[in-house]
Amino acid sequence: MNFHQKPVTHVSEVGLKVLDLNKMIQFYTETIGFDLIAKTDKKAELGAGGTTLLVLETIDGLTPKRERYAGLYHFAILLPDRKELGKILLHLHQRGIQLGSSDHLVSEALYLSDPEDNGIEIYRDREAEEWDWNNDEVKMAVDPLDAEGVVRAAQESGETWQGMPANTVMGHIHLHVSDLAQAERFYMEGLGFEVVTTMGRQALFIADQKYHHHIGLNIWNGVGIPALPEKTAGLNYYTLKFDDENKRNAVTAQLREIGAEVAEESDYLVTKDPAGNAIRLVV
């Protein structure tokens, strides 16, 4: 993982509520290249190298998302290098998948949606030494991707796409929220992240240990939007992984101090941000 050497609090898994489990499994295995790690009638775990990165769950009475809600803007799958990005770019192109792309200076990224309109980013990081920091703010942009260079890296490797490489991780998550100031307070004072870049009063990018961002937060769906209803398809939860119990305990105390509820489940703690996005805190 191209995060710095110190243990870092990061997004490790994303859970989605889905309408058609089998269709979504097919998409995530054949098009995205995840391995199917475990499956029951109602639930599937997908990932790479034996690590679960995405959990798809179907719930009785689930309806499609028709309104503007808080929830997922996209989750972002981090590949180990540029040639892997080139390999999947060629593969997606061959499958006729509609793609967006961008050079963010810190990274090179592809964008697409799954069959139920959940946003996906697939990206590779430039080396951290190449990122441009101005005091505590990292410089990011939305520049055109050098797609030819990305494809060339794949072609020069002589390798063909064989699915997601084993060292693929969940790089970050980007969320729709209802109020940026409330979100900032929750994520800074509660979860202990720091702001690394902003886009006017529209979006915030936050991180632990000077990554370019572990979480993006935006109000592009509108200010004051409601939380995603329980029986509506979309984001179910995402996990934040802590390196040890002490750090998680400290964060739990901070969350309770700012008035956030933290509930204990069997193998994780769960809280919600002010927009209603569920976060599982795992060690």
Side-chain angles (χ1 to χ4, degrees), residues 85 100-105 107-111 121 123 141-146:
L85 190 67
S101 64
S102 202
D103 185 329
H104 295 305
L105 306 181
S107 63
E108 294 182 304
L110 307 174
Y111 293 94
E121 175 181 343
Y123 74 113
V142 186
D143 291 343
L145 180 72
D146 172 18

Side-chain angles (χ1 to χ4, degrees), residues 218-232:
N218 74 63
I219 49 166
W220 298 331
N221 254 355
V223 173
I225 49 170
L228 184 75
E230 199 180 322
K231 291 287 179 109
T232 300

Side-chain angles (χ1 to χ4, degrees), residues 229-242:
E230 199 180 322
K231 291 287 179 109
T232 300
L235 183 67
N236 192 10
Y237 67 87
Y238 71 92
T239 60
L240 280 178
K241 193 166 192 178
F242 296 87

Side-chain angles (χ1 to χ4, degrees), residues 212-271:
H212 59 68
H213 67 296
H214 289 112
I215 301 171
L217 304 161
N218 74 63
I219 49 166
W220 298 331
N221 254 355
V223 173
I225 49 170
L228 184 75
E230 199 180 322
K231 291 287 179 109
T232 300
L235 183 67
N236 192 10
Y237 67 87
Y238 71 92
T239 60
L240 280 178
K241 193 166 192 178
F242 296 87
D243 49 297
D244 63 39
E245 196 66 61
N246 293 340
K247 176 124 184 234
R248 186 172 73 165
N249 289 344
V251 163
T252 302
Q254 286 167 201
L255 285 166
R256 288 184 171 140
E257 218 163 276
I258 63 163
E261 283 182 33
V262 183
E264 290 185 31
E265 298 292 336
S266 52
D267 46 2
Y268 58 86
L269 302 176
V270 66
T271 188

Side-chain angles (χ1 to χ4, degrees), residues 18-139:
V18 304
L19 298 160
D20 187 332
L21 186 60
N22 289 328
K23 185 178 179 181
M24 292 286 268
I25 290 170
Q26 187 177 9
F27 172 83
Y28 279 105
T29 52
E30 294 177 11
T31 301
I32 300 297
F34 279 148
D35 301 326
L36 181 58
I37 293 169
K39 181 182 183 301
T40 62
D41 288 349
K42 301 265 183 189
K43 189 174 171 181
E45 294 182 25
L46 299 121
T51 301
T52 298
L53 302 176
L54 183 69
V55 178
L56 306 177
E57 226 164 318
T58 183
I59 299 163
D60 291 335
L62 201 64
T63 58
K65 187 165 56 199
R66 292 198 174 91
E67 309 288 327
R68 289 176 176 237
Y69 294 115
L72 187 69
Y73 179 56
H74 63 240
F75 62 85
I77 303 160
L78 175 57
L79 297 173
D81 52 42
R82 197 180 200 204
K83 75 163 194 267
E84 291 296 344
L85 190 67
K87 280 155 66 174
I88 198 164
L89 173 54
L90 287 167
H91 157 74
L92 292 168
H93 182 68
Q94 282 156 4
R95 287 188 77 97
I97 301 294
Q98 204 175 350
L99 287 176
S101 64
S102 202
D103 185 329
H104 295 305
L105 306 181
V106 293
S107 63
E108 294 182 304
L110 307 174
Y111 293 94
L112 66 156
S113 294
D114 73 15
E116 296 188 5
D117 213 26
N118 297 293
I120 305 166
E121 175 181 343
I122 300 171
Y123 74 113
R124 72 99 186 178
D125 277 336
R126 288 198 168 89
E127 293 299 324
E129 297 72 51
E130 299 175 59
W131 304 351
D132 184 9
W133 288 88
N134 182 8
N135 297 323
D136 287 333
E137 193 146 304
V138 68
K139 192 173 177 194

